[in-house]
Amino acid sequence: MAQATKLIIPCDRAERLQYIRRMFPSAIGSFLGDEWRGGRHEALKRLNSMDAVAYNRNRNFLNGAVTKLSPFFRHGCLTLKEASDGAQERFGEHAEKFVFELAWRDYWRHVWYDLGDGIFSDIEDPKVALGDKLMPDFIRQGITGLPCMDGFIRDLTQYGYVHNHARMWFAAYVVHWLKVDWREAADWFEHHLLDGDKASNHLSWQWVASLFSSKPYYFNKENLARYTGEKYCANCKITCPFDDSYEALNDKLFANLTPAPAKKHKVSIPLKVAMSTHQAVAIFVHDEMLSAAHPLMHKPMPKIFVFDDLLHGRWPLKRIQFVADCLSELQDVEVWMGDTPSVLKERGVGQVITQQTPNRQLRALLEPFNTTWQPEVKFTTAEISEKRLKRFSRYWEKVGPDLLGEHYRQP
Ligand SMILES: Cc1cc2nc3c(=O)[nH]c(=O)nc-3n(C[C@H](O)[C@H](O)[C@H](O)COP(=O)(O)OP(=O)(O)OC[C@H]3O[C@@H](n4cnc5c(N)ncnc54)[C@H](O)[C@@H]3O)c2cc1C
């Protein structure tokens, strides 16, 4: 087991980023850019500067007025409820589309709570034939030869952020054109994202693949050229594999292939650790609750965060730096690196209080510590039955009116 080391996160940002690089020598990839300062302060700034009217108009365009709030939601710097309330207060009915998009995140999270590790296997039978090829190296290296796909891979690996539409095009290209096993691709993609989130990511890949939707998602050149403003197509010299009608693409991609039944994918199960015999109680601050406004931050108890190899060992450097930014805003939180049981043992902790999570790896790590799980801040007060989780449309029928009241419009 790795030795537990206490980290002293510097207040100065430039020093902080360098410090993280020194302390995590095996973390790969580029430095976190200035555009991506982590923490609640930055999240509120982004929320307060968003333009819901422009968002309605152009969010599907690569240069549209999207908020880039996803890494902040992922790490708990801001709750979906705060974002929904804040946007509705400023923009009234014009916030509807933004709230609708927030609901997708909440929906995927409910599905994760409901299915647990089931989200890592095919949820339904595919509606079209899928492939099971391994991820080719040319994807990992961003040398597909297609300027658009190479551009999206560059966004992913350099900055850790890819526009939603580009995520959909990329996933469709990998799953339907290249016939790569969705699970391997989804794992790789999530690993590079600053907002990497098992529910939003893996379930979106399943949605594209037709494993959690009634049909596959695919696109053509006209669609990509329009929403990228010809950014990649204008000077593209290659024979475009996307340049066709939807009907012709459907025949090319799916005709004469019989869908196989749903597949189970392997999930690694964390080691069991013996029950702790220590006495002290602490707040365990995990990577989904990094906000000074979190209710548990106000409790007068020791608070401990651990960069744990099991959870964060494969994270790229920029994501660890993003989390360090978030942690620098939290007073009285001890930050450690090592494995969680060793850190808690070293601190004499036998019992922890923390925020509920559907992440089974994290739950298993804390199991020996007699954990009290505090509920997350709810996005909606609507009761969501299992049946509502079969499709987003059913979930939204119930949740939309609760969130938007008189501004709710039937989709
Ligand atoms: C293949 C694929 C993988 C994805 N992986 C992730 C992931 O790992 N983490 C992640 O947070 N999102 C993921 N998404 C969803 C979505 O692409 C991002 O949430 C969104 O692009 C974030 O950018 P933004 O904050 O500027 O979005 P905005 O358009 O400004 O939307 C505001 C917020 O609404 C939520 N949201 C919007 N669209 C979606 C959506 N389709 N699904 C879920 N939530 C949504 C996000 O929390 C987002 O921050 C993935 C989508 C696809 C197609």
Side-chain angles (χ1 to χ4, degrees), residues 55 67-70 101 108 161 164 167 195 197 201 204:
Y55 185 84
T67 62
K68 299 190 174 174
L69 275 169
S70 48
E101 297 299 335
W108 295 137
Y161 176 84
N164 179 58
R167 295 185 201 211
D195 63 24
D197 175 81
N201 182 65
S204 293

Side-chain angles (χ1 to χ4, degrees), residues 185-197:
D187 285 349
W188 173 79
F189 197 71
E190 186 216 335
H191 160 69
H192 284 284
L193 286 169
L194 274 186
D195 63 24
D197 175 81

Side-chain angles (χ1 to χ4, degrees), residues 136-172:
D137 278 346
F138 65 78
I139 292 277
R140 293 177 201 280
Q141 292 163 9
I143 46 170
T144 64
L146 302 170
C148 50
M149 295 302 152
D150 290 349
F152 304 149
I153 297 170
R154 213 167 26 248
D155 289 347
L156 176 72
T157 53
Q158 272 189 16
Y159 308 109
Y161 176 84
V162 184
H163 185 283
N164 179 58
H165 220 154
R167 295 185 201 211
M168 291 162 62
W169 294 320
F170 177 73

Side-chain angles (χ1 to χ4, degrees), residues 120-271:
F120 303 120
S121 287
D122 300 2
I123 293 177
E124 298 168 9
D125 286 341
K127 316 308 177 287
V128 292
L130 300 174
D132 57 1
K133 291 193 184 153
L134 295 177
M135 269 266 289
D137 278 346
F138 65 78
I139 292 277
R140 293 177 201 280
Q141 292 163 9
I143 46 170
T144 64
L146 302 170
C148 50
M149 295 302 152
D150 290 349
F152 304 149
I153 297 170
R154 213 167 26 248
D155 289 347
L156 176 72
T157 53
Q158 272 189 16
Y159 308 109
Y161 176 84
V162 184
H163 185 283
N164 179 58
H165 220 154
R167 295 185 201 211
M168 291 162 62
W169 294 320
F170 177 73
Y173 165 64
V174 171
V175 170
H176 299 311
W177 270 267
L178 299 181
K179 304 289 178 195
V180 167
D181 181 293
W182 74 268
R183 175 61 202 279
E184 194 193 356
D187 285 349
W188 173 79
F189 197 71
E190 186 216 335
H191 160 69
H192 284 284
L193 286 169
L194 274 186
D195 63 24
D197 175 81
K198 302 214 178 298
S200 287
N201 182 65
H202 285 69
L203 292 168
S204 293
W205 280 84
Q206 297 223 40
W207 181 86
V208 166
S210 78
L211 293 163
F212 197 25
S213 55
S214 54
K215 55 181 193 302
Y217 170 80
Y218 61 102
F219 64 95
N220 68 7
K221 180 184 172 188
E222 192 189 339
N223 175 273
L224 189 142
R226 170 163 185 236
Y227 288 102
T228 52
E230 298 269 341
K231 179 173 172 187
Y232 302 104
C233 303
N235 298 313
C236 183
K237 302 274 185 289
I238 53 125
T239 311
C240 179
F242 316 125
D243 190 9
D244 232 325
S245 67
Y246 279 100
E247 293 72 25
L249 285 174
N250 184 64
D251 288 350
K252 251 188 228 169
L253 296 173
F254 309 121
N256 306 323
L257 296 169
T258 320
K263 272 191 306 187
K264 268 221 164 289
H265 288 263
K266 244 175 66 196
V267 180
S268 58
I269 302 181
L271 295 171

